[in-house]
């Protein structure tokens, strides 16, 4: 805070002592609980599981992402890659009915967005993959 008092600073909320203390506390929890390593391991688990689902369901055109930020692009036909917008909406709603909240988006509204918290567990990942498998099978 002292450093900021010696400079011109035009941010209403950033840089104040309370926000800095909160940010530092968050970083300490991330380090103490090993959340970065967990995110890496769980991201690999999800990516691997999604790639297995891609082999099982033709609706999945592409699986992509890094760490815990993943996307599943849905297509009507694997060869033409025609976007499966209605099918994506159906999978999205089925997941919600099973208690799995994910996002959807993409240029054509045919990409499932999977962005779980860093504290996700292996069991949570298995649940996510199981629900998606059932949702894809229902389309």
């Amino acid at each position: 805070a002292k450093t900021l008092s010696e400079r011109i600073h035009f941010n209403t909320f950033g840089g104040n002592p309370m926000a800095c203390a909160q940010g530092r506390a968050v970083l300490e929890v991330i380090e103490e609980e090993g959340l970065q390593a967990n995110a890496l391991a769980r991201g690999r688990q999800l990516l691997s599981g999604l790639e297995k689902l891609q082999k099982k369901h033709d609706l999945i055109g592409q699986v992509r992402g890094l760490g815990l930020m993943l996307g599943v692009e849905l297509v009507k036909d694997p060869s033409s890659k025609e976007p499966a917008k209605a099918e994506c909406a159906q999978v999205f709603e089925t997941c919600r009915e099973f208690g799995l909240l994910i996002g959807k988006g993409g240029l054509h509204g045919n990409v499932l967005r999977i962005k779980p918290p860093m504290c996700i567990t292996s069991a949570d990942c298995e649940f996510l993959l199981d629900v998606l498998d059932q949702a894809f099978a229902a389309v």
Side-chain angles (χ1 to χ4, degrees), residues 1-102:
K2 182 180 176 193
T3 302
L4 292 173
S5 69
E6 299 168 1
R7 299 199 171 30
I8 297 175
H9 185 67
F10 291 102
N11 187 318
T12 305
F13 300 107
N16 67 68
M18 181 63 80
C20 291
Q22 290 171 336
R24 184 175 182 169
V26 167
L27 293 174
E28 288 170 357
V29 169
I30 288 171
E31 186 175 333
E32 289 168 9
E33 295 185 10
L35 294 179
Q36 281 185 300
N38 184 64
L40 180 63
R42 298 295 66 83
R44 287 178 179 157
Q45 179 184 359
L46 287 174
L47 192 59
S48 172
L50 291 169
E51 288 169 346
K52 288 176 186 170
L53 289 178
Q54 183 179 16
K55 292 175 184 169
K56 183 176 178 181
H57 301 283
D58 288 340
L59 186 61
I60 302 174
Q62 185 184 42
V63 173
R64 57 183 176 259
L66 184 62
L68 288 176
M69 193 169 189
L70 304 165
V72 180
E73 185 174 2
L74 305 186
V75 296
K76 291 180 185 264
D77 175 38
S79 332
S80 71
K81 303 282 187 193
E82 179 185 350
K85 184 176 181 177
E87 293 85 345
C88 186
Q90 185 179 345
V91 169
F92 178 80
E93 287 302 319
T94 301
C95 287
R96 185 187 55 76
E97 289 168 6
F98 279 110
L100 175 64
L101 300 178
I102 56 176

